[in-house]
Amino acid sequence: MMENISDFLQKGDFSSALELALRIEDPFSRLEALSYIYQYVEGDEYKEIVLERMLETIDSLEGLLEKARALALVGYALTVSGDKKGEHFFKKAHQIIKAIDYLLWKAEGYGYLAYYMALAGDYSSAFYYYNVAYETAQNSSEPYSKVLSFLYRLAQQILENAEEIRSPEAKEFYELAAEIYEEIKRHLSAQELKKKASLIELALEKGSKVVSEFLERRDVDNAVFVIKYLPDEEKVLALLEVAYWLFLHDKKGLAKSIVEDAFRMVAERKIKPNDEKLEEIAAKFLKIGQIEEALTVGAIISEKKRASRVFEKIALVYAKRGDKLKAIAVAQAISDENIKRGVLKAIEGEENVGHK
């Protein structure tokens, strides 16, 4: 059903997508479909129509827990669509949860609230309410088997959020899920999540250097895992290091696309990675014959002198290979006039190109 709704939306057929969603019998599944449409469509008029249908669906729900979950979902849908009213729905969900007497349902309500807040990017509130959910369940007087079953589901929910978070905040989510796993005697799962949390800590401590260390040990999985938690400047350097490693291991197609991704990140987000490290990476690409990639890295370097040195080396490599046109084109891009003059002379044969 969701695939069909998605197809209609991609074709711009909003009415058919909405009609299909409203045919879904299960209220919460219908609400999920409507929230998906809300995030997809543009224009206040369309959004208002979808929101009305979502609120009608919420009104049809009877249980407090179901209503709270539904309101949290709407809060998420509005927030990620840039609508400040999302916060209002999160607050309404919270008010309803507070009115629930049965502690395990109350805990479940807090879990749903946390889950959708995390999806909406409010990690600090989500983490707080996950802790409230955990404590509330522990205070329940229900049989241990029921509490155990809930805590297992809660840990899985926290883990699902953690896997989606692309920032250091993921660390505390992994740690909380690990703590709950320990509580319910799932020690292997807990150890695995503690390891992920420690990897994030390592990434914050060492930056892109930790990626190089993992790659040196051929530990690609951990290298890729830690990249997403690095600050943007370090992330660019780490991606270039991964690309270099891939070139060395004959995965050129993937390596080239990663270099392009890194360049796009810098251009779109106005990121300024460390110029000294960029110069080192450009030299590494040049050493293994990846001239275009060295050129791309050179274009990222902010400091004119460093960028000029990189372009100088690239121009001379082209000249040495007999590709005079490319050599001159790269030389003309050199901003340091002294370096540019020297390179152009070398290309014209006035200096020893091979020696340079």
Side-chain angles (χ1 to χ4, degrees), residues 325-344:
L325 283 176
K326 277 189 179 176
I328 290 170
V330 174
Q332 294 292 356
I334 295 171
S335 55
D336 187 297
E337 290 300 325
N338 290 331
I339 294 175
K340 184 191 285 189
R341 276 196 298 272
V343 173
L344 288 170

Side-chain angles (χ1 to χ4, degrees), residues 221-232:
D221 288 344
N222 279 334
V224 170
F225 176 79
V226 296
I227 286 175
K228 59 188 174 185
Y229 304 110
L230 295 171
D232 282 345

Side-chain angles (χ1 to χ4, degrees), residues 67-355:
K67 275 189 187 290
R69 184 186 182 192
L71 286 163
L73 170 59
V74 174
Y76 151 71
L78 268 63
T79 302
V80 295
S81 302
D83 191 331
K84 289 181 180 177
K85 288 200 295 286
E87 193 178 333
H88 165 74
F89 286 96
F90 280 132
K91 282 179 180 173
K92 280 185 79 171
H94 184 221
Q95 284 167 0
I96 288 175
I97 293 160
K98 286 196 292 185
I100 298 171
D101 292 325
Y102 180 59
L103 284 185
L104 274 189
W105 286 352
K106 190 190 281 279
E108 198 169 343
Y110 280 124
Y112 287 136
L113 180 61
Y115 177 77
Y116 286 112
M117 280 182 152
L119 288 185
D122 187 353
Y123 303 132
S124 59
S125 296
F127 184 68
Y128 170 78
Y129 285 119
Y130 268 136
N131 274 289
V132 174
Y134 182 26
E135 287 167 21
T136 304
Q138 286 178 311
N139 291 331
S140 167
S141 56
E142 284 298 309
Y144 183 66
S145 59
K146 274 193 175 182
V147 176
L148 201 70
S149 176
F150 168 75
L151 289 177
Y152 176 67
R153 292 197 310 276
L154 184 68
Q156 286 191 307
Q157 211 169 285
I158 297 167
L159 180 55
E160 193 182 323
N161 280 148
E163 300 287 0
E164 292 298 317
I165 297 171
R166 296 288 184 270
S167 62
E169 284 93 340
K171 178 178 175 281
E172 57 187 14
F173 282 74
Y174 280 123
E175 286 171 340
L176 180 57
E179 187 184 328
I180 296 171
Y181 276 134
E182 287 283 12
E183 171 80 18
I184 61 175
K185 307 291 187 284
R186 288 183 173 262
H187 301 298
L188 281 176
S189 298
Q191 284 304 112
E192 192 183 319
L193 300 190
K194 282 178 185 174
K195 185 189 172 189
K196 287 186 174 184
S198 65
L199 285 171
I200 295 169
E201 197 169 326
L202 204 59
L204 297 175
E205 198 180 299
K206 292 190 169 186
S208 59
K209 188 184 172 191
V210 73
V211 175
S212 305
E213 289 173 2
F214 281 131
L215 291 173
E216 280 167 19
R217 298 201 292 268
R218 291 177 167 261
D219 189 349
V220 186
D221 288 344
N222 279 334
V224 170
F225 176 79
V226 296
I227 286 175
K228 59 188 174 185
Y229 304 110
L230 295 171
D232 282 345
E233 292 79 7
E234 291 290 322
K235 198 174 284 184
V236 170
L237 297 170
L239 285 170
L240 293 171
E241 288 288 358
V242 170
Y244 173 71
W245 188 89
L246 289 168
F247 276 123
L248 290 179
H249 292 83
D250 293 322
K251 298 185 189 296
K252 289 194 174 183
L254 183 56
K256 283 177 180 289
S257 70
I258 288 174
V259 173
E260 285 166 18
D261 287 344
F263 180 77
R264 201 160 36 245
M265 269 180 73
V266 171
E268 289 173 3
R269 301 189 205 168
K270 305 286 189 286
I271 300 165
K272 290 191 176 181
N274 182 284
D275 284 334
E276 189 180 346
K277 288 179 181 176
L278 285 171
E279 188 178 5
E280 287 170 11
I281 293 169
K284 285 161 83 170
F285 280 137
L286 210 50
K287 198 173 179 182
I288 59 170
Q290 296 304 135
I291 307 177
E292 284 181 22
E293 284 67 38
L295 201 56
T296 301
V297 175
I300 297 172
I301 297 172
S302 307
E303 195 187 321
K304 288 182 180 179
K305 191 85 171 176
R306 284 189 190 277
S308 297
R309 285 204 299 259
V310 170
F311 289 139
E312 175 189 25
K313 288 172 186 170
I314 294 167
L316 294 175
V317 168
Y318 275 131
K320 194 175 179 183
R321 289 185 173 189
D323 197 337
K324 194 173 179 181
L325 283 176
K326 277 189 179 176
I328 290 170
V330 174
Q332 294 292 356
I334 295 171
S335 55
D336 187 297
E337 290 300 325
N338 290 331
I339 294 175
K340 184 191 285 189
R341 276 196 298 272
V343 173
L344 288 170
K345 278 183 184 179
I347 292 167
E348 294 301 333
E350 290 182 29
E351 289 181 24
N352 190 326
V353 170
H355 175 70

